[in-house]
Each structure stands twice: as C-alpha cells, then as structure tokens.
Amino acid sequence: MLVTVENGRAVKVAGDPDHPFTQGFLCAKVNRYLDRTYHADRLTTPLRRVGAKGRGEFVAISWDEALDTIADRLGTVARGPHGPQAILPYSYAGTMGLLQGQSMDRRFFHALGASKLDRTICSTAGTEGMRMTVGANMGADGEGLPQSDFVLLWGTNTLTSNPHLWPFVLEARKNGAMVIAIDPIRTRTAEQCDEWIPIRPGTDAALALAMMHVLFAERLHDADYLARYTLGEMELRARVAEWSPQRAAGITGIPAERIAELGRQYGRAKAAFLRVNYGLQRHFGGGMAMRTIACLPAVTGHWRRPGGGVQLSTSIGHRFNLAALVREDLSPPVRTINMSRLGEALTRPDAGVGGPPVQAMVVYNSNPAAIAPDLGAVRRGLGREDLFTVVLEHFQTDTADWADIVLPATTQLEHWDVHLAYGHYQATLNRPSIAPIGEALPNTEIFRRLAARMGLDDPCFADDDLALIRQSLDTPHERMKGVTLEALLARGWVRLNVPRPFLPYAEGNFPTPSGKCEFYSERLERMGIDPLPTYTPPRELPETAPQLAARFPLVLISSPRHKFLNSTFVNVKALRGNAEPECQLHPADAAHRGITDGMRVVVHNDRGHFTAVARVGDSVREGVAWAPSVWWTKLAKDGRNANDTTSQGVTDLGGGATFYDNLVEVLPAD
Ligand SMILES: Nc1nc2c(c(=O)[nH]1)N[C@H]1C(S)=C(S)[C@@H](COP(=O)(O)OP(=O)(O)OC[C@H]3O[C@@H](n4cnc5c(=O)[nH]c(N)nc54)[C@H](O)[C@@H]3O)O[C@H]1N2
Ligand SMILES: Nc1nc2c(c(=O)[nH]1)N[C@H]1C(S)=C(S)[C@@H](COP(=O)(O)OP(=O)(O)OC[C@H]3O[C@@H](n4cnc5c(=O)[nH]c(N)nc54)[C@H](O)[C@@H]3O)O[C@H]1N2
Ligand SMILES: [Mo]
C-alpha cells in the first residue's frame, strides 16, 4: 500500500503497481483506510469505565493513570490465590503484523506467567489438515495460476476475501481454463465463474473422495508421481473404491453424473489449481475435509507443473524468526485456553478449561463481543463484576463497551510492522507514514510500558520496534535469504528466496515425517483418528442431528460481507451505507415460512437469536441461509448478530471454530 502524505496528513492510499501479486489495487475496504484512520470516533486517550459493564460509559484519563491501574490490578491477580494464570490475553486478526500482533505482547504475558491462548478462531482445522497430508500449510503459488488449465474455487469467495487472486484467475481463463466455484452460496465469485456447484455445507470430503474414485477407476492418475512421492497408495485406492459418485451424491447433493464428470475434468487437466480457502473448514469435519482435498494433486501429479496443486495458504513459506519475537522461553508451564471457547472459559471454568478462573483479560487486535461464537455466553462472561477487562482499540467496539480500561492504539499508517502473507510469497514491511492520532500508541509500546510498570526487567523489554524487525529477520532459513531490513526499506516488499512460480512439491520434498505426501497418516492413527482420508460429517445436519434439524432445519453460513473485514470497517459509513443485517433464503424455504423479500425475520436456535432483513433468491442452496457478517452488535437494531446463534463446538483437528456448522430456524419477526 502506497500512502501519499501532505503536511503530515495522509491524503491518499493506493496499491503498489510494482507489486507482483497485488498489482496496484487495494480491496474495497482498505481503499477506505483513510476514512477509518481519520474517523471522528477514533479513540484518542485512555478511558476508564464509569457506568455499568457493557454500557460503554467512560471518562478520559491519562496514560499514567491507565497504566498504573492496569499494572496494579494485574499484579494483584498474579499475586492472588490463583496466581498469574488467572490472567488471559485475547488477540487475533485485527492486525496480522508480527510486531503489533506477536512480539512485545507475547513476551509480556509469557514473563508474567499468564495463561496462553490457543488461536483457533480462523484457520487451525485446515492448517492441521494440510499438515497431515502435505506436511505444512504451504501450497501452490498463485503467480503460477495463469498456467493452470482447470481452476476450482473451492469454499472461497475470492472476489470478496482474496480479490488479488482474481486477475490471475482471469488470465488462466483467457488461456482456456475452465473456472468452477464449489460453494453452498452463489457468491459474487460463483456468479463470475463458468459454473457454480452448489454443495451441501460440510460435505466437501465426500466430493473429494468420489473424485479420487473416478481418477483411479478411469486410470487418470499419475503412477510415477504416486510411486515416488506418496505414502499409502494401496490403502487410498481401497478407501476411495467405497466412494462411488452415487454414494457421494446422496451426501453432497450434487448429481452423481456431475461428480463423475468433475473427477474426469480434474484428471484430464494437466495442472489444475485448487484454491481452497477457510470457509469449508468451519465445520466439525473441517480438518479431515482439508486433508482429503489435499490428496488430489498427488494422485494426478499436478504438483509437478506451474498452476497445479492446492493452495490453502502460503504462510508457512515465510520463515520469520517468530521464536525470537515471542520468547516462549520466558513462560513457565501454564494452561492454554482455546479462544473459540471464550464463553465457556469466562463462565464455566470447571466445564473443560481446567485451572483457575479467569480474573483479568487483556484484549487487543480482536473484538470477541462480535466475532466469537456463542455470543450469549461471551457477554455473560464479559459482564462478570469480578472480571477486570482491558481493551486496546482504535474504536469503542462491542468489546470495548465491556472494558474497565480502554487504551487507544495506532493503525497501520502510524506504526512499524512486518507481515507474512497467506496468499503469496512476498514479505512486507509496514512503515509509519503519519504521526499517531491523538495519544494513541502502538501495541508494542503499550506492552513495553506495562512491562516496565510491572517490574519485568528482562533486557528483551527494551527492544524498540526496529530492533524487533531485525530480530524477526535474523534467521538462517534458506527461503528468507535476501529478506533484509535494507531490502524491505528500499521497496516495501521482498520476494522470498523461492523460484517464480514456486513449485514446492514438484519433486516430492513434502515436510511430513515420511517425506512423502501422506495418504496414510500414522500421526492421525496415533491420535485415534482415521489414518486415511474420509468424510467426517458436520455436527449439525439433518442426518447427524435429526431431532435438532426437526426444530432448526436450515444451515446458517455467516461468512464475510463484501465490505466488512470480520468486524473491522463496520463503523465506516462509506462501507456500511444504510445497510442492515441481512439473511438470504432460497425461495422455497422462504415461501413455506411466509417470508417475502424485505421482511424482517428472526434467525434463532437454542443458543440465541438475531434479527435481519430477509433477502429471497436462488443465490443460496435450498436448506441454507446466508447472513453476511460480521456486524457490530451495537449497530444492529436488536444489539445482536449471527454469532448469537453459532456454537463453541470445535473441529476434528486443530480445535478450530465451527461457525458454519450451525442449524437455525428463520421466522417472520412478527
Ligand atoms: N472482504 C473481506 N475479506 C476478507 C475477510 C473479510 O472479513 N472480508 N476476512 C479475511 C480472513 S480473516 C479470512 S480467514 C478470509 C476468509 O475468507 P475465505 O477463506 O474465503 O472464507 P469464508 O469467507 O469464511 O468462506 C468462503 C466461502 O466458503 C463457503 N462455504 C461455507 N461452508 C462451506 C462448505 O462446507 N463447503 C464449501 N465448499 N464452501 C463453504 C462460504 O459460503 C463462502 O462463500 O478472508 C480474509 N479476507
Ligand atoms: N460469524 C462469523 N464469525 C467470525 C467470522 C465469520 O466469517 N463469521 N470470521 C472469523 C475469522 S476468520 C476471524 S480471523 C475472526 C477475526 O476476528 P478479530 O480477530 O476480532 O478481527 P477483526 O474483527 O477484524 O478486528 C478486531 C479489532 O482489532 C482492532 N485492531 C486493528 N488493528 C489494531 C492494532 O494495531 N492494535 C489494536 N490494539 N487493535 C487493532 C480493530 O479496530 C478491530 O476492532 O473472526 C471470526 N468470527
Ligand atoms: Mo480469518
């Protein structure tokens, strides 16, 4: 992102035309980054709560008073009967910068002996799925996509959540590739594809198994690649023999003919690109689904060629020295709390979390009162009078309303950072372009000052932000060769030391225990999980939970609204417009509930409810409802959002959140 500054004020943000992947344009949201940075509601001073919890009534205080209050209270908790593990950090994706998201903050909590947080809310199921099959969450290079002859956009709303990939998709299509979307929703992406395959939610593994059935049955496999670079071919063949297209049709809702043809199209292609994204792993069987899909390119040998393979992420390709940043060695052995079960951790510590109750929580880069599942439980927890809550924020969010102390943080225009990428192989420097707004401070500086206040005297707390950047780059890893501060300062980004396009598994080299693509996984076997690819159904589908489905027959998917970034940008008027929370329904589902387009509806299940405006059309599969998310609850008429209905259940692998494994009923609000 290039920022133009005049007299100390940023006046324009634009994409960098020289960047090989983002190619000179910004997404719909970040285009409005100035509206957000200079928003009249930016927090400019520390605040102390004066009203009841959750009311959002605060007065301005000085940094000294704020930091003294926090140090005093955290110190009291740490020295108390439950010890420092009663303190919980809570952070995720508000910024994904390594400095502002995982450096001083982690050092601070580690040295304090606070509980650790398992950051599962987005990607751990898929990450583990990839790890079990190919060894790491590192896949095909999007810059090779133009050379692909068959593109499957599988559980990804590319035009919304990954728009920079789109020009590469268009180039592949210009070169003759067919582009197909596999999604329960006809998203704006699916609309632009050659075909939309409306799959039943959470059933992707069944589709992938049947595709492999066809590949072997019709001899479309690459025998040489299989022999050299894979483990468990015979076992896989036996497994997929059970998965005829007819069987998968009954599960996925896709006609058997279409499944068989998809297997053939895939097998005849020379370099099929599977862009899988995180949508399809937000179901109970998400880890196994990802693992199963990741087997496909090894069956056909597509990893050999540019444009071939599967991409869930490129993040593990980046090898910053995270160990030096987070300094886990400073931490004593402590318990870990799964962030996807925050409601339970705050309200029912004995019910599974174990260890002492959470008495203090420090939230930064996250808005759990909007984005965490089962918001009813989360709000009950945040409302506890005995819980001390600190929130570092740009804005008075849903979560900040529950805080005891709110601290104003800087935005990306105001601080230093470095970033890995999860869709390409360039490392990025974020340099500040303007002075902080008001009294805002970078997260790094806030934790540095807190560490000093609390007497944490390890020399690492004296590192300034540039020192942190140098430490993050100080690594002997081959792929980071050339990624230096000097090179980053010169251009803003540096391509990792990998060929273009990068073909990570062209000649095997899978970072698994066996060094091969593991169709058969001993690691899974040891975990008591099926060692072979299989279909693990969602928890909430009519066939798995018939009694629940009788009362709540629709699967609710609450994936991002085009102009929101999770809960970021929701308060930017230029992006929200006059919109209200919506719920899209298939005409057949709407008709027999007496729902018409524009009608106010209640979406509910046993966990909770929220209201929305109904949108009726055939852009969702029958039996599926779509609530574009993630709304600030305080900007909705009823003070709720889709996460009032989502569950704290976690995935088969990685303990991930299951936002889309969610049965609901939708009724007219009246
Ligand atoms: N504009 C915008 N961009 C974003 C974000 C944002 O909030 N807004 N968030 C960022 C973040 S943190 C992330 S993790 C990514 C998320 O972006 P993606 O990884 O693309 O994930 P989702 O948007 O959750 O879901 C993608 C698609 O999967 C579909 N889907 C849901 N369940 C299933 C299923 O069982 N099978 C299949 N085949 N499809 C399914 C959904 O309908 C949706 O269209 O985007 C990033 N980019
Ligand atoms: N129903 C439903 N729930 C979801 C999702 C969904 O699709 N549907 N998506 C899930 C996913 S994939 C993710 S990743 C999570 C994301 O959820 P979160 O991790 O909470 O991410 P955001 O909502 O984008 O940002 C949270 C806050 O971080 C603040 N922030 C940004 N930069 C900084 C900074 O430098 N310092 C400080 N102190 N604060 C900063 C922003 O102002 C924002 O209010 O939500 C999950 N929840
Ligand atoms: Mo995410």
Side-chain angles (χ1 to χ4, degrees):
M1 179 164 82
L2 302 179
V3 186
T4 308
V5 182
E6 284 172 8
N7 303 321
R9 193 178 167 90
V11 293
K12 188 180 156 207
V13 292
D16 178 354
D18 294 335
H19 194 282
F21 188 73
T22 59
Q23 302 189 84
F25 72 97
L26 300 174
C27 71
K29 303 128 357 226
V30 173
N31 246 327
R32 292 289 182 175
Y33 208 72
L34 294 183
D35 293 39
R36 190 173 185 277
T37 303
Y38 293 114
H39 198 297
D41 298 343
R42 266 297 291 278
L43 297 172
T44 55
T45 68
L47 303 172
R48 178 167 51 80
R49 176 170 67 86
V50 289
K53 285 215 172 201
R55 291 282 294 277
E57 292 163 14
F58 290 85
V59 291
I61 55 174
S62 68
W63 270 107
D64 275 337
E65 181 184 342
L67 295 173
D68 283 341
T69 307
I70 297 166
D72 185 55
R73 192 64 187 264
L74 295 185
T76 306
V77 170
R79 288 186 303 273
H82 299 297
Q85 288 191 76
I87 300 169
L88 178 68
Y90 197 92
S91 72
Y92 200 61
T95 173
M96 301 190 82
L98 301 183
L99 263 57
Q100 307 306 333
Q102 39 185 326
S103 68
M104 272 303 160
D105 53 318
R106 307 294 174 97
R107 294 177 179 185
F108 174 76
F109 293 110
H110 288 154
L112 214 53
S115 288
K116 288 181 186 165
L117 187 73
D118 197 4
R119 290 174 171 81
T120 57
I121 208 147
C122 170
S123 65
T124 45
T127 298
E128 281 300 289
M130 283 294 279
R131 203 166 73 82
M132 291 304 162
T133 299
V134 303
N137 195 3
M138 180 172 81
D141 187 348
E143 291 179 57
L145 212 164
Q147 296 173 67
S148 169
D149 55 351
F150 189 64
V151 180
L152 284 182
L153 301 177
W154 198 334
T156 165
N157 187 0
T158 308
L159 274 169
T160 287
S161 59
N162 181 202
H164 292 101
L165 190 68
W166 193 251
F168 296 86
V169 174
L170 291 183
E171 238 180 288
R173 179 190 256 170
K174 212 173 66 194
N175 297 338
M178 189 175 190
V179 182
I180 296 177
I182 305 176
D183 197 307
I185 300 170
R186 198 179 68 211
T187 60
R188 67 171 67 212
T189 307
E191 262 169 32
Q192 296 294 317
C193 289
D194 297 307
E195 187 182 350
W196 168 45
I197 298 185
I199 193 168
R200 289 182 72 222
T203 65
D204 303 271
L207 175 60
L209 289 161
M211 286 169 70
M212 288 190 271
H213 175 102
V214 174
L215 293 176
F216 285 117
E218 305 194 8
R219 308 192 57 78
L220 295 166
H221 58 284
D222 179 336
D224 180 66
Y225 194 94
L226 283 164
R228 283 174 198 259
Y229 306 129
T230 69
L231 183 74
E233 180 191 343
M234 287 308 138
E235 292 91 336
L236 178 69
R237 280 173 178 266
R239 171 58 53 88
V240 302
E242 303 162 11
W243 281 94
S244 66
Q246 288 72 14
R247 179 176 173 196
I251 292 169
T252 59
I254 305 167
E257 271 317 296
R258 186 65 198 96
I259 295 176
E261 183 56 23
L262 189 66
R264 277 179 218 119
Q265 288 172 306
Y266 182 78
R268 286 184 194 134
K270 290 281 165 276
F273 194 96
L274 305 180
R275 176 39 163 160
V276 182
N277 222 332
Y278 289 98
L280 68 77
Q281 49 99 66
R282 307 195 201 286
H283 301 268
F284 173 64
M288 188 55 88
M290 189 61 236
R291 153 162 172 68
T292 302
I293 292 169
C295 294
L296 278 160
V299 174
T300 50
H302 288 177
W303 286 119
R304 294 179 193 270
R305 293 174 282 278
V310 57
Q311 183 193 81
L312 176 64
S313 180
T314 59
S315 55
I316 292 294
H318 301 249
R319 283 302 168 105
F320 290 90
N321 190 345
L322 287 180
L325 286 186
V326 306
R327 292 295 306 274
E328 196 137 7
D329 58 295
L330 296 172
S331 174
V334 293
R335 71 162 164 196
T336 298
I337 289 179
N338 184 336
M339 72 184 300
S340 301
R341 303 184 67 85
L342 177 66
E344 180 177 275
L346 293 180
T347 56
R348 303 171 57 210
D350 50 326
V353 176
V358 176
Q359 295 179 310
M361 182 161 73
V362 182
V363 181
Y364 55 102
N365 305 345
S366 190
N367 184 10
I371 64 85
D374 195 0
L375 281 186
V378 172
R379 283 190 298 258
R380 279 198 302 284
L382 292 171
R384 272 172 43 203
E385 278 307 325
D386 62 326
L387 179 72
F388 177 66
T389 305
V390 179
V391 176
L392 284 60
E393 253 301 346
H394 301 152
F395 292 104
Q396 191 65 36
T397 58
D398 291 329
T399 307
D401 278 353
W402 294 96
D404 293 284
I405 301 282
V406 179
L407 301 175
T410 48
T411 67
Q412 287 185 232
L413 296 196
E414 301 150 61
H415 57 225
W416 285 101
D417 222 323
V418 281
H419 287 255
L420 53 75
Y422 60 93
H424 60 77
Y425 287 108
Q426 274 73 224
T428 308
L429 177 74
N430 175 163
R431 59 197 297 179
S433 48
I434 58 169
I437 302 291
E439 296 176 20
L441 290 176
N443 293 346
T444 42
E445 179 61 16
I446 295 175
F447 287 106
R448 215 176 267 124
R449 292 187 188 186
L450 273 174
R453 281 276 197 307
M454 297 194 69
L456 304 176
D457 53 11
D458 189 285
C460 76
F461 290 108
D463 295 338
D464 65 16
D465 285 3
L466 281 166
L468 290 171
I469 293 179
R470 285 201 182 85
Q471 289 162 16
S472 76
L473 298 171
D474 182 13
T475 155
H477 202 286
E478 194 54 27
R479 284 201 294 274
M480 295 299 280
K481 219 183 222 159
V483 187
T484 61
L485 180 55
E486 291 62 40
L488 285 167
L489 282 168
R491 200 167 52 175
W493 53 270
V494 176
R495 180 150 179 104
L496 303 187
N497 182 31
V498 294
R500 168 173 283 140
F502 180 32
L503 308 181
Y505 312 125
E507 294 168 13
N509 293 320
F510 292 95
T512 52
S514 64
K516 304 203 166 178
C517 175
E518 297 195 344
F519 299 144
Y520 190 94
S521 167
E522 282 182 10
R523 287 180 293 182
L524 286 175
E525 190 170 37
R526 281 196 298 273
M527 292 162 72
I529 295 175
D530 194 331
L532 286 170
T534 186
Y535 164 57
T536 307
R539 283 219 185 78
E540 302 195 7
L541 269 190
E543 57 269 37
T544 40
Q547 286 169 348
L548 193 69
R551 295 165 59 221
F552 307 115
L554 301 170
V555 176
L556 181 72
I557 293 177
S558 51
S559 56
R561 221 180 122 85
H562 187 63
K563 293 186 177 177
F564 295 170
L565 175 62
N566 298 311
S567 76
T568 307
F569 294 99
V570 180
N571 63 331
V572 175
K573 192 67 190 173
L575 294 172
R576 190 177 78 252
N578 294 317
E580 283 195 72
E582 291 174 354
C583 180
Q584 286 192 16
L585 292 169
H586 188 272
D589 289 323
H592 73 87
R593 291 173 174 81
I595 294 170
T596 52
D597 193 77
M599 186 182 268
R600 187 160 284 279
V601 293
V602 183
V603 184
H604 74 108
N605 59 23
D606 286 335
R607 291 179 285 265
H609 59 87
F610 67 100
T611 57
V613 177
R615 293 285 166 232
V616 178
D618 58 5
S619 57
V620 294
R621 229 200 112 86
E622 203 173 335
V624 172
W626 184 35
S629 291
V630 179
W631 278 85
W632 282 22
T633 64
K634 66 202 276 185
L635 292 177
K637 284 199 171 117
D638 62 346
R640 293 165 194 274
N641 75 20
N643 281 326
D644 275 88
T645 61
T646 54
S647 95
Q648 296 183 63
V650 296
T651 51
D652 56 344
L653 293 175
T658 54
F659 289 107
Y660 309 157
D661 196 334
N662 182 23
L663 282 171
V664 300
E665 177 56 300
V666 182
L667 295 170
D670 302 337

